[in-house]
Amino acid sequence: MTTLLFHKPYGVLSQFTPEAGCDWGCLAEFIPIPQVYAAGRLDADSEGLLLLTSNGRLQQRLTDPRFGHWRRYWVQVEGEAAAHPEALEQLRSGLLIQGQRTLPARAQAISDPSLPERTPPIRQRAAIPTSWLQLELQEGRNRQVRRMTAAVNLPTLRLLRVAIDLMDGAAPLELNGLAPGQWREVDEAESQRLERLLKPSRAMGKISPGRVSPGRGGRAGGGKSGRGAGGG
């Protein structure tokens, strides 16, 4: 099994083939490893941690909503998030988005994480301050983070996924040490943890191998925004 952690830059689709008539890049420009597939997605205008694997069962396990893997995002928004505790509480409690209520989330204002400037840079309006949120979700509906922050009047300007929790009691897989466009193979300890996820449990039963679906994080498909499970 080959499994990679990749820092997806802005402007790159979570798939290996370009979209016709679209200026976004694709994973093939960065990942030379054959037969790996994205386990979950990030929209092309989002950045951060993307896990790719050659194991279809692992891809399914990490994206199956039954397991509720927490995904951590850093979100730069218009407005002073810390000055609006009611907005943070709405994010935590759940919001009605496109007729469906979001699951309870973890949300807090954080200080500026001092990230490298995005290319292209975010839009800035002199009269409107910006601030940062840390938002953690257990689901990955289409453009969910952006829809949630917009619903509480804190529009998203920049979005990075920085961690994926394997829900095994150990530290989440994190973006640390990877610059935009860089990737690495998981280390031995991480590989063992991922393999343990595939062992059958009495509570959930064994996941059937199935086929990897190119439209949900595979080497093609997914649309210009990188639609599919991911939340970013």
Side-chain angles (χ1 to χ4, degrees):
M1 177 172 73
T2 300
T3 303
L4 314 175
L5 302 180
F6 174 54
H7 186 159
K8 190 190 82 65
Y10 178 90
V12 176
L13 295 165
S14 295
Q15 61 191 54
F16 280 83
T17 55
E19 289 280 344
C22 174
D23 292 332
W24 297 128
C26 66
L27 297 179
E29 298 170 24
F30 300 90
I31 309 290
I33 309 299
Q35 300 303 313
V36 292
Y37 304 86
R41 307 186 71 84
L42 281 173
D43 292 329
D45 53 354
S46 299
E47 308 161 67
L49 183 60
L50 193 65
L51 186 147
L52 301 102
T53 181
S54 61
N55 188 306
R57 290 178 60 225
L58 178 60
Q59 184 198 35
Q60 182 182 354
R61 173 65 169 75
L62 291 172
T63 56
D64 191 324
R66 294 180 300 164
F67 296 98
H69 290 278
W70 288 101
R71 287 164 168 80
R72 182 184 307 151
Y73 300 88
W74 289 344
V75 194
Q76 189 175 16
V77 297
E78 283 189 348
E80 291 285 1
H84 297 282
E86 73 288 350
L88 298 181
E89 187 54 41
Q90 284 181 282
L91 294 171
R92 297 183 191 113
S93 301
L95 297 158
L96 195 63
I97 303 293
Q98 295 185 307
Q100 184 178 355
R101 183 161 292 277
T102 61
L103 295 177
R106 299 168 179 165
Q108 61 179 311
I110 60 172
S111 57
D112 186 337
S114 299
L115 298 167
E117 190 75 15
R118 195 190 74 181
T119 303
I122 65 163
R123 71 176 188 273
Q124 297 232 249
R125 294 194 278 180
I128 301 178
T130 69
S131 60
W132 286 85
L133 294 173
Q134 180 170 286
L135 188 60
E136 296 182 64
L137 305 180
Q138 286 185 293
E139 57 185 337
R141 291 155 55 184
N142 182 38
R143 299 185 75 76
Q144 181 170 346
V145 171
R146 287 180 171 81
R147 295 184 194 280
M148 289 176 69
T149 64
V152 298
N153 297 313
L154 294 169
T156 292
L157 297 171
R158 187 178 182 185
L159 174 59
L160 297 92
R161 183 161 64 203
V162 296
I164 300 172
D165 194 339
L166 299 185
M167 310 293 281
D168 60 357
L173 301 179
E174 295 186 327
L175 192 62
N176 295 347
L178 290 175
Q182 288 187 335
W183 60 271
R184 68 169 177 86
E185 290 196 45
V186 295
D187 62 30
E188 183 61 29
E190 292 165 337
S191 179
Q192 290 176 3
R193 291 173 62 196
L194 291 165
E195 288 175 2
R196 282 196 292 270
L197 293 183
L198 302 179
K199 294 182 178 179
S201 69
R202 294 178 183 176
M204 303 305 295
K206 187 174 182 179
I207 295 177
S208 60
R211 293 183 61 190
V212 174
S213 169
R216 290 184 63 82
R219 300 188 76 85
K224 293 183 181 180
S225 64
R227 290 188 292 272

